[in-house]
Amino acid sequence: MGEEVQIGATAVGVKVNEGVVLAAEKRVSYGFYTLSKTGKKVFIIDDRLAIASAGIIADMQTLAKILKLNARAYELDMKRKPTVKAMAKLLSVVMFSRRFMPFFAEVLVGGVDEEGAHLIVMDPLGSLIEDNYAALGTGAKVAIGILDAAYRPDMTLQEAKKLAVQAIKAAIERDPVSGGGIDVAVLDKNGAGEEEIKLQLTL
Amino acid sequence: MFPPAMAGYDRAITIFSPEGKIYQVEYAGEAVKRGWPTVGVKCKSGVVLAAEKRKISALFDPSSLEKIYLIDEHVAASPSGLLADARILIDYARDVTLSHRFIYDEPIDVEFLTKAICNLKQQYTQFGGARPFGVALIVAGIDRHGARLFQTDPSGVYIGYLATAIGAESGTITEYLEKNYKHDLEIGECVELAVRALASAVEITDSNSIEVAYATVEEKKMRKMTADEVATLLAKVPKKA
């Protein structure tokens, strides 16, 4: 793995009273080369839980698979769906178990459960921090400014979605390893929805 | 012709009798039937465990013996049968609840815990080289689903109940519960029902000869009653006729 393979990505999460929005851009870059414009960094785990991530694609995909498997196993065992916090804690245990050879990914865990909406930020070692909004990856420095300026906890989910997309767009403008398009996951008490926002190619 | 049990089918736990029975497991059930009785009652406001603690000798120190084990903050279990076997299961159950808290940062669901205990019990009915656990447990607690009450047996079966009893005289106690059970009870009344049920079958001489634990849906905490609280309670309960 060359040094050019870095956490080149932008992922944001916005929590409001109604639910949570997770968004990430789609660029997979190997240094100065854009390997793919269709990299998926937002993963729906179950119908009320999703993650968005910045890092090595393989690690993100593996973490998403581990979480999906465990969420399903939990549901079968407990006869109820896991809470957002429970799954975030599980992910934290998985990530910290690799303390000395970590998954190279930062993760945003978002979802809605009996207690309401949750957004949890995790670093590659598995730290758990609950927050109202967050930005991860190389574009985070740009995206967080947009979120800081406009976030209100009483926003509607639609407003939150617009804000998240706007933050990712700002990061794409200024972060060379972010781009390609935007994946958005919207979670509220009715379930999880996913959509892709295509970007106009500016020449 | 020999009766089936004498034809050697009770010699190993890995062999079915022609009637499809595993005799060693059935015998383990006999150990439970001879155990000190224990009662579990669930109502809308919570769940209660009550267990007899027999005075095994004049100089025995009742405070040294436990019949109701707290497994986690919100769940407890009471065994009947071979109490040494029960200890192993209780230790295992505590382990399961702790690792559940470690992994998920939440209290374990009572049914899942019961299932974990019963999976262990089941293992000992299918593989040779060891005997089954000669113990039944009543597992009671509060979780996201509300008040929960389960009874396990040596085969590894677990069943949810509104009220149940295991051990010696469990038939008499169950009969009492069937007659007097009401779901719409406050926790105090529920405790009284459990103790009365136990007292219908065994002689409760003083507060040292019974153990009581309860948890309310509101508080979600399993609490063992102190000897003083039990004494106050027993004053209200008629002695066995």
Side-chain angles (χ1 to χ4, degrees), chain B residues 30-82:
Chain B
E30 292 300 318
V32 172
K33 280 184 201 158
R34 287 162 176 74
W36 300 352
T38 183
V39 183
V41 183
K42 176 169 97 167
C43 65
K44 69 158 205 258
S45 58
V47 66
V48 179
L49 286 173
E52 189 208 2
K53 238 157 71 165
R54 209 164 288 172
K55 207 163 191 169
I56 44 182
S57 97
L59 296 178
F60 136 85
D61 172 8
S63 68
S64 69
L65 182 78
E66 263 189 312
K67 261 307 290 290
I68 296 175
Y69 296 87
L70 299 178
I71 292 175
D72 198 347
E73 278 218 326
H74 63 299
V75 53
S78 187
S80 192
L82 301 180

Side-chain angles (χ1 to χ4, degrees), chain A residues 170-189:
Chain A
I172 286 174
E173 286 290 329
R174 288 290 173 174
D175 178 33
V177 287
S178 294
I182 302 172
D183 279 328
V184 188
V186 180
L187 300 107
D188 64 11
K189 62 180 188 331

Side-chain angles (χ1 to χ4, degrees), chain A residues 70 74 76-80 83 85-87 89-90 93 114-115, chain B residues 100-109 111-112 115 144-145 158:
Chain A
N70 279 284
Y74 185 108
L76 291 169
D77 276 341
M78 307 290 174
K79 300 181 182 173
R80 66 178 169 85
T83 61
K85 276 186 182 171
M87 282 296 102
K89 180 69 191 344
L90 173 100
V93 171
E114 293 79 9
E115 293 159 16
Chain B
H100 187 91
R101 275 188 189 271
F102 175 74
I103 294 170
Y104 299 107
D105 199 16
E106 67 179 16
I108 197 167
D109 282 12
E111 182 172 354
F112 181 65
K115 190 165 74 180
R144 281 161 192 276
H145 302 281
Y158 68 91

Side-chain angles (χ1 to χ4, degrees), chain A residues 27-61:
Chain A
R27 179 167 293 173
V28 183
S29 49
Y30 269 23
F32 293 114
Y33 171 54
T34 297
L35 178 78
S36 170
K37 296 185 281 186
T38 57
K40 221 166 127 42
K41 304 172 191 182
V42 176
F43 303 88
I44 304 282
I45 303 300
D46 68 23
D47 62 10
R48 52 185 220 170
L49 185 72
I51 63 171
S53 185
I56 293 176
I57 301 290
D59 287 9
M60 289 165 21
Q61 286 176 347

Side-chain angles (χ1 to χ4, degrees), chain A residues 183-203:
Chain A
D183 279 328
V184 188
V186 180
L187 300 107
D188 64 11
K189 62 180 188 331
N190 301 318
E194 211 178 355
E195 78 179 85
E196 188 192 340
I197 295 168
K198 294 229 187 321
L199 291 181
Q200 294 292 324
L201 189 62
T202 48
L203 289 173

